[in-house]
Amino acid sequence: MDSNLHSPERRLIELRMEHADLDAMIDRAAEASPVDELMMRRLKKRRLALRDQISRLELALDPKEPA
């Protein structure tokens, strides 16, 4: 059971959930008036970093075989 809590698959799910949460947060922040540009840049930078982590983890879990 403990190994399941720290599995790469579970980490991937957590990263995807955090990415989706950031998407929603960015959408809500964009509707605010005035828009806090610094906060938006930070949120978008964090979202991009998460996307990179997700991509690396997906590649590690399912490496593409050469054709």
Side-chain angles (χ1 to χ4, degrees):
M1 176 82 173
D2 246 357
S3 63
N4 194 24
L5 292 176
H6 303 291
S7 71
E9 291 84 3
R10 182 175 175 104
R11 180 68 180 141
L12 184 58
I13 292 168
E14 291 170 351
L15 289 172
R16 286 178 176 157
M17 288 171 51
E18 187 175 350
H19 188 272
D21 290 344
L22 273 174
D23 272 339
M25 194 180 303
I26 289 169
D27 289 342
R28 284 192 308 271
E31 294 172 357
S33 184
V35 174
D36 184 345
E37 294 296 331
L38 179 59
M39 182 184 69
M40 290 293 284
R41 280 197 306 262
R42 288 178 176 166
L43 290 173
K44 288 179 179 182
K45 186 175 182 179
R46 175 68 183 143
R47 182 178 61 179
L48 184 59
L50 281 172
R51 186 70 237 163
D52 290 343
Q53 285 181 330
I54 291 168
S55 295
R56 283 192 300 271
L57 192 50
E58 285 173 340
L59 187 59
L61 289 173
D62 186 27
K64 303 294 180 224
E65 295 182 23

Short mmCIF file of all heavy atoms in Angstrom, two decimals:
data_model
loop_
_atom_site.label_atom_id
_atom_site.label_comp_id
_atom_site.label_asym_id
_atom_site.label_seq_id
_atom_site.Cartn_x
_atom_site.Cartn_y
_atom_site.Cartn_z
N MET A 1 0.83 -1.20 0.00
CA MET A 1 0.00 0.00 0.00
C MET A 1 0.86 1.25 0.00
O MET A 1 0.58 2.19 -0.71
CB MET A 1 -0.92 -0.05 1.22
CG MET A 1 -1.77 1.17 1.40
SD MET A 1 -3.21 1.04 0.35
CE MET A 1 -4.12 2.44 0.87
N ASP A 2 1.93 1.26 0.81
CA ASP A 2 2.80 2.43 0.88
C ASP A 2 3.45 2.74 -0.46
O ASP A 2 3.58 3.89 -0.83
CB ASP A 2 3.91 2.19 1.92
CG ASP A 2 3.77 3.13 3.10
OD1 ASP A 2 2.86 3.99 3.07
OD2 ASP A 2 4.57 3.01 4.04
N SER A 3 3.84 1.69 -1.20
CA SER A 3 4.50 1.92 -2.48
C SER A 3 3.51 2.55 -3.48
O SER A 3 3.92 3.30 -4.36
CB SER A 3 5.05 0.62 -3.05
OG SER A 3 3.99 -0.29 -3.29
N ASN A 4 2.23 2.25 -3.34
CA ASN A 4 1.22 2.82 -4.22
C ASN A 4 1.07 4.33 -4.00
O ASN A 4 0.77 5.07 -4.93
CB ASN A 4 -0.12 2.12 -4.00
CG ASN A 4 -1.11 2.44 -5.11
OD1 ASN A 4 -0.73 2.79 -6.21
ND2 ASN A 4 -2.38 2.31 -4.79
N LEU A 5 1.31 4.80 -2.76
CA LEU A 5 1.20 6.22 -2.46
C LEU A 5 2.29 7.04 -3.12
O LEU A 5 2.14 8.23 -3.33
CB LEU A 5 1.25 6.44 -0.94
CG LEU A 5 0.06 5.94 -0.15
CD1 LEU A 5 0.29 6.14 1.34
CD2 LEU A 5 -1.21 6.63 -0.59
N HIS A 6 3.41 6.38 -3.44
CA HIS A 6 4.56 7.08 -4.01
C HIS A 6 4.88 6.60 -5.42
O HIS A 6 5.99 6.82 -5.90
CB HIS A 6 5.77 6.92 -3.10
CG HIS A 6 5.52 7.42 -1.71
ND1 HIS A 6 5.35 8.74 -1.41
CD2 HIS A 6 5.38 6.75 -0.53
CE1 HIS A 6 5.13 8.88 -0.12
NE2 HIS A 6 5.13 7.69 0.44
N SER A 7 3.95 5.95 -6.07
CA SER A 7 4.20 5.43 -7.39
C SER A 7 4.26 6.56 -8.41
O SER A 7 3.63 7.61 -8.24
CB SER A 7 3.11 4.43 -7.79
OG SER A 7 1.90 5.11 -8.03
N PRO A 8 5.01 6.36 -9.49
CA PRO A 8 5.07 7.38 -10.56
C PRO A 8 3.70 7.68 -11.16
O PRO A 8 3.41 8.82 -11.52
CB PRO A 8 6.00 6.76 -11.59
CG PRO A 8 6.80 5.75 -10.85
CD PRO A 8 5.92 5.26 -9.74
N GLU A 9 2.85 6.65 -11.25
CA GLU A 9 1.52 6.86 -11.80
C GLU A 9 0.70 7.80 -10.92
O GLU A 9 0.00 8.67 -11.42
CB GLU A 9 0.78 5.52 -11.97
CG GLU A 9 1.35 4.62 -13.04
CD GLU A 9 2.54 3.78 -12.57
OE1 GLU A 9 2.92 3.84 -11.37
OE2 GLU A 9 3.11 3.08 -13.42
N ARG A 10 0.81 7.61 -9.61
CA ARG A 10 0.09 8.49 -8.69
C ARG A 10 0.65 9.91 -8.76
O ARG A 10 -0.11 10.88 -8.74
CB ARG A 10 0.18 7.96 -7.27
CG ARG A 10 -0.59 8.84 -6.29
CD ARG A 10 -0.61 8.24 -4.91
NE ARG A 10 -1.24 9.15 -4.00
CZ ARG A 10 -2.46 9.02 -3.53
NH1 ARG A 10 -3.19 7.99 -3.90
NH2 ARG A 10 -2.95 9.89 -2.69
N ARG A 11 1.95 10.04 -8.87
CA ARG A 11 2.58 11.36 -8.99
C ARG A 11 2.08 12.06 -10.25
O ARG A 11 1.81 13.26 -10.23
CB ARG A 11 4.11 11.22 -9.01
CG ARG A 11 4.84 12.52 -9.14
CD ARG A 11 4.68 13.38 -7.90
NE ARG A 11 5.40 14.63 -8.08
CZ ARG A 11 4.96 15.81 -7.68
NH1 ARG A 11 3.83 15.90 -7.03
NH2 ARG A 11 5.65 16.89 -7.91
N LEU A 12 1.93 11.31 -11.33
CA LEU A 12 1.44 11.87 -12.58
C LEU A 12 0.01 12.40 -12.41
O LEU A 12 -0.31 13.50 -12.87
CB LEU A 12 1.48 10.81 -13.68
CG LEU A 12 1.09 11.24 -15.08
CD1 LEU A 12 1.96 12.38 -15.58
CD2 LEU A 12 1.19 10.06 -16.04
N ILE A 13 -0.82 11.66 -11.72
CA ILE A 13 -2.19 12.10 -11.46
C ILE A 13 -2.18 13.38 -10.63
O ILE A 13 -2.93 14.32 -10.91
CB ILE A 13 -2.99 10.98 -10.76
CG1 ILE A 13 -3.22 9.81 -11.72
CG2 ILE A 13 -4.31 11.50 -10.20
CD1 ILE A 13 -3.75 8.56 -11.06
N GLU A 14 -1.34 13.42 -9.61
CA GLU A 14 -1.26 14.61 -8.76
C GLU A 14 -0.81 15.83 -9.56
O GLU A 14 -1.35 16.93 -9.37
CB GLU A 14 -0.31 14.35 -7.59
CG GLU A 14 -0.83 13.36 -6.58
CD GLU A 14 0.21 12.93 -5.57
OE1 GLU A 14 1.41 13.27 -5.73
OE2 GLU A 14 -0.17 12.24 -4.61
N LEU A 15 0.17 15.65 -10.43
CA LEU A 15 0.65 16.76 -11.25
C LEU A 15 -0.43 17.25 -12.20
O LEU A 15 -0.61 18.46 -12.38
CB LEU A 15 1.89 16.34 -12.04
CG LEU A 15 3.17 16.14 -11.25
CD1 LEU A 15 4.26 15.55 -12.13
CD2 LEU A 15 3.65 17.45 -10.63
N ARG A 16 -1.17 16.32 -12.79
CA ARG A 16 -2.26 16.71 -13.69
C ARG A 16 -3.35 17.47 -12.94
O ARG A 16 -3.92 18.43 -13.47
CB ARG A 16 -2.85 15.48 -14.37
CG ARG A 16 -1.94 14.91 -15.44
CD ARG A 16 -2.53 13.68 -16.06
NE ARG A 16 -1.71 13.19 -17.16
CZ ARG A 16 -1.72 11.95 -17.58
NH1 ARG A 16 -2.49 11.06 -17.01
NH2 ARG A 16 -0.94 11.58 -18.59
N MET A 17 -3.64 17.05 -11.71
CA MET A 17 -4.65 17.74 -10.91
C MET A 17 -4.18 19.16 -10.56
O MET A 17 -4.95 20.12 -10.65
CB MET A 17 -4.96 16.95 -9.64
CG MET A 17 -5.75 15.69 -9.90
SD MET A 17 -5.92 14.60 -8.49
CE MET A 17 -6.51 15.66 -7.22
N GLU A 18 -2.92 19.28 -10.18
CA GLU A 18 -2.38 20.59 -9.86
C GLU A 18 -2.39 21.50 -11.09
O GLU A 18 -2.69 22.69 -11.00
CB GLU A 18 -0.96 20.45 -9.31
CG GLU A 18 -0.39 21.74 -8.78
CD GLU A 18 0.97 21.59 -8.13
OE1 GLU A 18 1.42 20.45 -7.90
OE2 GLU A 18 1.60 22.63 -7.86
N HIS A 19 -2.08 20.93 -12.26
CA HIS A 19 -2.10 21.70 -13.51
C HIS A 19 -3.52 22.19 -13.80
O HIS A 19 -3.71 23.36 -14.17
CB HIS A 19 -1.57 20.82 -14.65
CG HIS A 19 -1.37 21.54 -15.93
ND1 HIS A 19 -2.37 21.69 -16.86
CD2 HIS A 19 -0.28 22.16 -16.45
CE1 HIS A 19 -1.92 22.37 -17.89
NE2 HIS A 19 -0.64 22.66 -17.67
N ALA A 20 -4.50 21.34 -13.61
CA ALA A 20 -5.89 21.73 -13.84
C ALA A 20 -6.32 22.81 -12.85
O ALA A 20 -7.03 23.76 -13.22
CB ALA A 20 -6.80 20.51 -13.73
N ASP A 21 -5.89 22.68 -11.60
CA ASP A 21 -6.20 23.71 -10.60
C ASP A 21 -5.60 25.05 -11.00
O ASP A 21 -6.24 26.10 -10.85
CB ASP A 21 -5.69 23.30 -9.22
CG ASP A 21 -6.46 22.15 -8.61
OD1 ASP A 21 -7.58 21.85 -9.10
OD2 ASP A 21 -5.96 21.55 -7.64
N LEU A 22 -4.37 25.03 -11.49
CA LEU A 22 -3.73 26.27 -11.93
C LEU A 22 -4.47 26.87 -13.12
O LEU A 22 -4.62 28.09 -13.20
CB LEU A 22 -2.27 26.02 -12.29
CG LEU A 22 -1.28 26.12 -11.14
CD1 LEU A 22 0.12 25.71 -11.61
CD2 LEU A 22 -1.24 27.50 -10.55
N ASP A 23 -4.92 26.03 -14.04
CA ASP A 23 -5.71 26.52 -15.17
C ASP A 23 -6.94 27.28 -14.68
O ASP A 23 -7.23 28.38 -15.15
CB ASP A 23 -6.17 25.36 -16.06
CG ASP A 23 -5.17 24.99 -17.13
OD1 ASP A 23 -4.30 25.82 -17.46
OD2 ASP A 23 -5.26 23.86 -17.64
N ALA A 24 -7.64 26.69 -13.74
CA ALA A 24 -8.84 27.32 -13.20
C ALA A 24 -8.49 28.62 -12.47
O ALA A 24 -9.19 29.63 -12.61
CB ALA A 24 -9.56 26.36 -12.25
N MET A 25 -7.40 28.60 -11.71
CA MET A 25 -6.98 29.79 -10.99
C MET A 25 -6.61 30.93 -11.95
O MET A 25 -6.95 32.08 -11.73
CB MET A 25 -5.78 29.45 -10.10
CG MET A 25 -5.46 30.48 -9.05
SD MET A 25 -4.04 30.04 -8.02
CE MET A 25 -4.55 28.47 -7.36
N ILE A 26 -5.93 30.57 -13.04
CA ILE A 26 -5.55 31.57 -14.05
C ILE A 26 -6.79 32.15 -14.70
O ILE A 26 -6.89 33.36 -14.92
CB ILE A 26 -4.58 30.96 -15.07
CG1 ILE A 26 -3.22 30.72 -14.42
CG2 ILE A 26 -4.44 31.85 -16.30
CD1 ILE A 26 -2.26 29.88 -15.24
N ASP A 27 -7.76 31.30 -15.01
CA ASP A 27 -9.02 31.78 -15.60
C ASP A 27 -9.74 32.76 -14.68
O ASP A 27 -10.22 33.80 -15.12
CB ASP A 27 -9.94 30.61 -15.94
CG ASP A 27 -9.45 29.79 -17.12
OD1 ASP A 27 -8.59 30.30 -17.89
OD2 ASP A 27 -9.91 28.65 -17.28
N ARG A 28 -9.80 32.40 -13.40
CA ARG A 28 -10.47 33.29 -12.43
C ARG A 28 -9.71 34.61 -12.28
O ARG A 28 -10.31 35.68 -12.21
CB ARG A 28 -10.60 32.61 -11.07
CG ARG A 28 -11.70 31.58 -11.01
CD ARG A 28 -11.98 31.13 -9.59
NE ARG A 28 -10.80 30.71 -8.86
CZ ARG A 28 -10.33 29.46 -8.84
NH1 ARG A 28 -10.93 28.52 -9.53
NH2 ARG A 28 -9.25 29.15 -8.14
N ALA A 29 -8.38 34.52 -12.24
CA ALA A 29 -7.57 35.73 -12.07
C ALA A 29 -7.69 36.64 -13.29
O ALA A 29 -7.63 37.87 -13.16
CB ALA A 29 -6.11 35.36 -11.82
N ALA A 30 -7.86 36.07 -14.47
CA ALA A 30 -7.98 36.85 -15.70
C ALA A 30 -9.29 37.64 -15.72
O ALA A 30 -9.37 38.69 -16.36
CB ALA A 30 -7.89 35.95 -16.91
N GLU A 31 -10.29 37.15 -15.00
CA GLU A 31 -11.58 37.84 -14.95
C GLU A 31 -11.58 39.00 -13.96
O GLU A 31 -12.45 39.85 -14.01
CB GLU A 31 -12.68 36.85 -14.58
CG GLU A 31 -12.93 35.80 -15.64
CD GLU A 31 -13.88 34.72 -15.17
OE1 GLU A 31 -14.31 34.74 -14.00
OE2 GLU A 31 -14.19 33.84 -15.99
N ALA A 32 -10.60 39.00 -13.06
CA ALA A 32 -10.53 40.05 -12.04
C ALA A 32 -10.17 41.38 -12.69
O ALA A 32 -9.51 41.44 -13.72
CB ALA A 32 -9.50 39.68 -10.99
N SER A 33 -10.64 42.42 -12.05
CA SER A 33 -10.31 43.75 -12.56
C SER A 33 -9.79 44.58 -11.40
O SER A 33 -10.49 44.73 -10.40
CB SER A 33 -11.55 44.39 -13.16
OG SER A 33 -11.22 45.62 -13.73
N PRO A 34 -8.61 45.10 -11.44
CA PRO A 34 -7.60 44.97 -12.49
C PRO A 34 -6.86 43.64 -12.38
O PRO A 34 -6.80 43.04 -11.32
CB PRO A 34 -6.65 46.13 -12.21
CG PRO A 34 -6.74 46.33 -10.73
CD PRO A 34 -8.19 45.99 -10.36
N VAL A 35 -6.29 43.22 -13.49
CA VAL A 35 -5.55 41.96 -13.53
C VAL A 35 -4.17 42.19 -12.92
O VAL A 35 -3.48 43.14 -13.25
CB VAL A 35 -5.42 41.47 -14.99
CG1 VAL A 35 -4.54 40.24 -15.06
CG2 VAL A 35 -6.79 41.18 -15.57
N ASP A 36 -3.79 41.32 -12.00
CA ASP A 36 -2.47 41.38 -11.38
C ASP A 36 -1.49 40.67 -12.32
O ASP A 36 -1.40 39.44 -12.32
CB ASP A 36 -2.51 40.72 -10.01
CG ASP A 36 -1.21 40.82 -9.25
OD1 ASP A 36 -0.17 41.16 -9.86
OD2 ASP A 36 -1.22 40.56 -8.03
N GLU A 37 -0.78 41.45 -13.12
CA GLU A 37 0.10 40.88 -14.14
C GLU A 37 1.22 40.04 -13.55
O GLU A 37 1.58 39.00 -14.10
CB GLU A 37 0.69 42.00 -15.02
CG GLU A 37 -0.33 42.73 -15.85
CD GLU A 37 -1.01 41.85 -16.88
OE1 GLU A 37 -0.40 40.87 -17.36
OE2 GLU A 37 -2.18 42.12 -17.21
N LEU A 38 1.78 40.47 -12.42
CA LEU A 38 2.87 39.71 -11.80
C LEU A 38 2.37 38.34 -11.34
O LEU A 38 3.02 37.32 -11.59
CB LEU A 38 3.45 40.49 -10.62
CG LEU A 38 4.58 39.81 -9.86
CD1 LEU A 38 5.76 39.51 -10.79
CD2 LEU A 38 5.04 40.67 -8.70
N MET A 39 1.20 38.33 -10.71
CA MET A 39 0.64 37.06 -10.26
C MET A 39 0.35 36.15 -11.46
O MET A 39 0.61 34.95 -11.42
CB MET A 39 -0.64 37.28 -9.46
CG MET A 39 -1.23 35.98 -8.93
SD MET A 39 -2.78 36.19 -8.08
CE MET A 39 -3.87 36.62 -9.42
N MET A 40 -0.20 36.73 -12.54
CA MET A 40 -0.50 35.95 -13.73
C MET A 40 0.77 35.33 -14.31
O MET A 40 0.78 34.15 -14.69
CB MET A 40 -1.18 36.81 -14.79
CG MET A 40 -2.59 37.21 -14.43
SD MET A 40 -3.73 35.83 -14.38
CE MET A 40 -3.97 35.56 -16.12
N ARG A 41 1.84 36.10 -14.38
CA ARG A 41 3.11 35.56 -14.91
C ARG A 41 3.60 34.43 -14.05
O ARG A 41 4.08 33.40 -14.56
CB ARG A 41 4.17 36.66 -14.99
CG ARG A 41 4.02 37.55 -16.20
CD ARG A 41 5.29 38.34 -16.47
NE ARG A 41 5.72 39.11 -15.31
CZ ARG A 41 5.47 40.41 -15.13
NH1 ARG A 41 4.78 41.08 -16.03
NH2 ARG A 41 5.91 41.02 -14.06
N ARG A 42 3.51 34.57 -12.73
CA ARG A 42 3.97 33.52 -11.82
C ARG A 42 3.13 32.26 -11.96
O ARG A 42 3.66 31.14 -11.96
CB ARG A 42 3.94 34.01 -10.38
CG ARG A 42 5.02 35.02 -10.10
CD ARG A 42 4.95 35.54 -8.69
NE ARG A 42 6.07 36.43 -8.43
CZ ARG A 42 6.13 37.23 -7.39
NH1 ARG A 42 5.15 37.27 -6.50
NH2 ARG A 42 7.17 38.01 -7.21
N LEU A 43 1.82 32.42 -12.05
CA LEU A 43 0.94 31.26 -12.21
C LEU A 43 1.22 30.54 -13.53
O LEU A 43 1.28 29.31 -13.57
CB LEU A 43 -0.53 31.69 -12.15
CG LEU A 43 -1.06 32.15 -10.80
CD1 LEU A 43 -2.47 32.70 -10.94
CD2 LEU A 43 -1.03 31.02 -9.79
N LYS A 44 1.38 31.31 -14.59
CA LYS A 44 1.64 30.71 -15.90
C LYS A 44 3.00 30.02 -15.94
O LYS A 44 3.15 28.96 -16.56
CB LYS A 44 1.54 31.76 -17.00
CG LYS A 44 0.10 32.19 -17.26
CD LYS A 44 0.01 33.24 -18.32
CE LYS A 44 -1.44 33.63 -18.58
NZ LYS A 44 -1.56 34.64 -19.65
N LYS A 45 3.98 30.60 -15.26
CA LYS A 45 5.31 29.99 -15.21
C LYS A 45 5.24 28.66 -14.43
O LYS A 45 5.83 27.67 -14.85
CB LYS A 45 6.29 30.95 -14.53
CG LYS A 45 7.71 30.48 -14.55
CD LYS A 45 8.63 31.55 -13.98
CE LYS A 45 10.07 31.10 -14.05
NZ LYS A 45 10.98 32.13 -13.52
N ARG A 46 4.49 28.65 -13.34
CA ARG A 46 4.31 27.42 -12.55
C ARG A 46 3.58 26.37 -13.37
O ARG A 46 3.93 25.20 -13.36
CB ARG A 46 3.55 27.74 -11.26
CG ARG A 46 3.22 26.54 -10.43
CD ARG A 46 4.44 25.89 -9.84
NE ARG A 46 4.06 24.70 -9.10
CZ ARG A 46 4.76 23.59 -9.06
NH1 ARG A 46 5.92 23.52 -9.67
NH2 ARG A 46 4.33 22.56 -8.40
N ARG A 47 2.55 26.80 -14.11
CA ARG A 47 1.78 25.88 -14.95
C ARG A 47 2.68 25.26 -16.02
O ARG A 47 2.61 24.06 -16.29
CB ARG A 47 0.60 26.60 -15.58
CG ARG A 47 -0.27 25.69 -16.43
CD ARG A 47 -1.45 26.40 -17.00
NE ARG A 47 -1.02 27.48 -17.88
CZ ARG A 47 -1.84 28.27 -18.55
NH1 ARG A 47 -3.14 28.13 -18.44
NH2 ARG A 47 -1.38 29.21 -19.33
N LEU A 48 3.55 26.05 -16.62
CA LEU A 48 4.47 25.55 -17.63
C LEU A 48 5.46 24.56 -17.03
O LEU A 48 5.76 23.52 -17.62
CB LEU A 48 5.21 26.72 -18.29
CG LEU A 48 6.16 26.37 -19.42
CD1 LEU A 48 5.42 25.67 -20.56
CD2 LEU A 48 6.84 27.62 -19.93
N ALA A 49 5.96 24.86 -15.83
CA ALA A 49 6.88 23.95 -15.16
C ALA A 49 6.19 22.61 -14.87
O ALA A 49 6.79 21.54 -15.03
CB ALA A 49 7.41 24.58 -13.87
N LEU A 50 4.93 22.68 -14.45
CA LEU A 50 4.17 21.44 -14.21
C LEU A 50 3.99 20.66 -15.50
O LEU A 50 4.12 19.43 -15.51
CB LEU A 50 2.80 21.77 -13.63
CG LEU A 50 2.75 22.11 -12.15
CD1 LEU A 50 1.37 22.59 -11.76
CD2 LEU A 50 3.15 20.91 -11.32
N ARG A 51 3.70 21.35 -16.59
CA ARG A 51 3.53 20.68 -17.89
C ARG A 51 4.81 19.96 -18.29
O ARG A 51 4.77 18.84 -18.80
CB ARG A 51 3.14 21.74 -18.94
CG ARG A 51 2.78 21.17 -20.28
CD ARG A 51 1.46 20.43 -20.22
NE ARG A 51 1.70 19.07 -20.66
CZ ARG A 51 0.91 18.04 -20.47
NH1 ARG A 51 -0.22 18.19 -19.85
NH2 ARG A 51 1.20 16.84 -20.90
N ASP A 52 5.95 20.59 -18.02
CA ASP A 52 7.24 19.96 -18.32
C ASP A 52 7.45 18.72 -17.46
O ASP A 52 7.91 17.68 -17.95
CB ASP A 52 8.39 20.94 -18.11
CG ASP A 52 8.42 22.04 -19.14
OD1 ASP A 52 7.77 21.90 -20.20
OD2 ASP A 52 9.11 23.06 -18.90
N GLN A 53 7.12 18.80 -16.17
CA GLN A 53 7.25 17.65 -15.28
C GLN A 53 6.35 16.51 -15.74
O GLN A 53 6.75 15.34 -15.74
CB GLN A 53 6.88 18.02 -13.85
CG GLN A 53 7.91 18.82 -13.12
CD GLN A 53 7.47 19.12 -11.69
OE1 GLN A 53 6.28 19.24 -11.40
NE2 GLN A 53 8.45 19.25 -10.81
N ILE A 54 5.12 16.85 -16.12
CA ILE A 54 4.17 15.84 -16.60
C ILE A 54 4.72 15.16 -17.84
O ILE A 54 4.70 13.93 -17.96
CB ILE A 54 2.80 16.48 -16.88
CG1 ILE A 54 2.13 16.89 -15.56
CG2 ILE A 54 1.90 15.54 -17.67
CD1 ILE A 54 0.91 17.78 -15.73
N SER A 55 5.25 15.94 -18.77
CA SER A 55 5.79 15.38 -20.01
C SER A 55 6.96 14.44 -19.73
O SER A 55 7.05 13.35 -20.32
CB SER A 55 6.25 16.49 -20.94
OG SER A 55 5.16 17.26 -21.36
N ARG A 56 7.85 14.85 -18.84
CA ARG A 56 9.01 13.99 -18.51
C ARG A 56 8.55 12.69 -17.85
O ARG A 56 9.06 11.61 -18.17
CB ARG A 56 9.98 14.73 -17.59
CG ARG A 56 10.85 15.75 -18.30
CD ARG A 56 11.99 16.24 -17.44
NE ARG A 56 11.54 16.86 -16.21
CZ ARG A 56 11.26 18.15 -16.06
NH1 ARG A 56 11.38 18.97 -17.09
NH2 ARG A 56 10.88 18.63 -14.90
N LEU A 57 7.58 12.79 -16.96
CA LEU A 57 7.09 11.60 -16.26
C LEU A 57 6.35 10.68 -17.23
O LEU A 57 6.52 9.45 -17.17
CB LEU A 57 6.20 12.01 -15.10
CG LEU A 57 5.83 10.94 -14.09
CD1 LEU A 57 7.04 10.19 -13.59
CD2 LEU A 57 5.07 11.56 -12.93
N GLU A 58 5.57 11.24 -18.13
CA GLU A 58 4.87 10.42 -19.13
C GLU A 58 5.88 9.68 -20.01
O GLU A 58 5.69 8.50 -20.32
CB GLU A 58 3.97 11.30 -20.00
CG GLU A 58 2.72 11.76 -19.33
CD GLU A 58 1.92 12.76 -20.14
OE1 GLU A 58 2.48 13.40 -21.06
OE2 GLU A 58 0.72 12.91 -19.85
N LEU A 59 6.93 10.35 -20.39
CA LEU A 59 7.96 9.73 -21.22
C LEU A 59 8.67 8.61 -20.45
O LEU A 59 8.96 7.55 -21.02
CB LEU A 59 8.97 10.77 -21.69
CG LEU A 59 10.00 10.30 -22.69
CD1 LEU A 59 9.34 9.76 -23.96
CD2 LEU A 59 10.96 11.43 -23.05
N ALA A 60 8.94 8.84 -19.18
CA ALA A 60 9.59 7.82 -18.37
C ALA A 60 8.70 6.59 -18.18
O ALA A 60 9.18 5.46 -18.15
CB ALA A 60 9.98 8.41 -17.01
N LEU A 61 7.40 6.82 -18.05
CA LEU A 61 6.47 5.72 -17.83
C LEU A 61 6.15 4.96 -19.10
O LEU A 61 5.87 3.76 -19.07
CB LEU A 61 5.16 6.24 -17.21
CG LEU A 61 5.26 6.70 -15.77
CD1 LEU A 61 3.95 7.35 -15.35
CD2 LEU A 61 5.60 5.55 -14.86
N ASP A 62 6.18 5.65 -20.24
CA ASP A 62 5.81 5.03 -21.50
C ASP A 62 6.75 5.50 -22.62
O ASP A 62 6.35 6.28 -23.48
CB ASP A 62 4.36 5.39 -21.86
CG ASP A 62 3.87 4.64 -23.08
OD1 ASP A 62 4.36 3.53 -23.35
OD2 ASP A 62 2.98 5.17 -23.79
N PRO A 63 8.01 5.03 -22.56
CA PRO A 63 8.95 5.48 -23.60
C PRO A 63 8.53 4.96 -24.97
O PRO A 63 8.06 3.84 -25.12
CB PRO A 63 10.28 4.87 -23.16
CG PRO A 63 9.93 3.75 -22.27
CD PRO A 63 8.59 4.07 -21.66
N LYS A 64 8.66 5.81 -25.95
CA LYS A 64 8.28 5.45 -27.32
C LYS A 64 9.37 4.56 -27.91
O LYS A 64 10.56 4.86 -27.81
CB LYS A 64 8.11 6.69 -28.19
CG LYS A 64 7.09 7.66 -27.65
CD LYS A 64 5.70 7.06 -27.68
CE LYS A 64 4.68 8.03 -27.16
NZ LYS A 64 3.72 7.46 -26.27
N GLU A 65 8.94 3.48 -28.51
CA GLU A 65 9.89 2.58 -29.17
C GLU A 65 10.21 3.11 -30.55
O GLU A 65 9.32 3.63 -31.24
CB GLU A 65 9.31 1.17 -29.26
CG GLU A 65 9.10 0.53 -27.92
CD GLU A 65 8.57 -0.88 -28.05
OE1 GLU A 65 8.75 -1.51 -29.10
OE2 GLU A 65 7.97 -1.35 -27.08
N PRO A 66 11.44 2.99 -30.99
CA PRO A 66 11.77 3.44 -32.33
C PRO A 66 11.02 2.63 -33.39
O PRO A 66 10.78 1.42 -33.22
CB PRO A 66 13.27 3.22 -32.47
CG PRO A 66 13.71 2.48 -31.24
CD PRO A 66 12.57 2.45 -30.28
N ALA A 67 10.64 3.28 -34.45
CA ALA A 67 9.85 2.62 -35.51
C ALA A 67 10.70 1.69 -36.33
O ALA A 67 11.86 1.74 -36.43
CB ALA A 67 9.23 3.67 -36.41
#
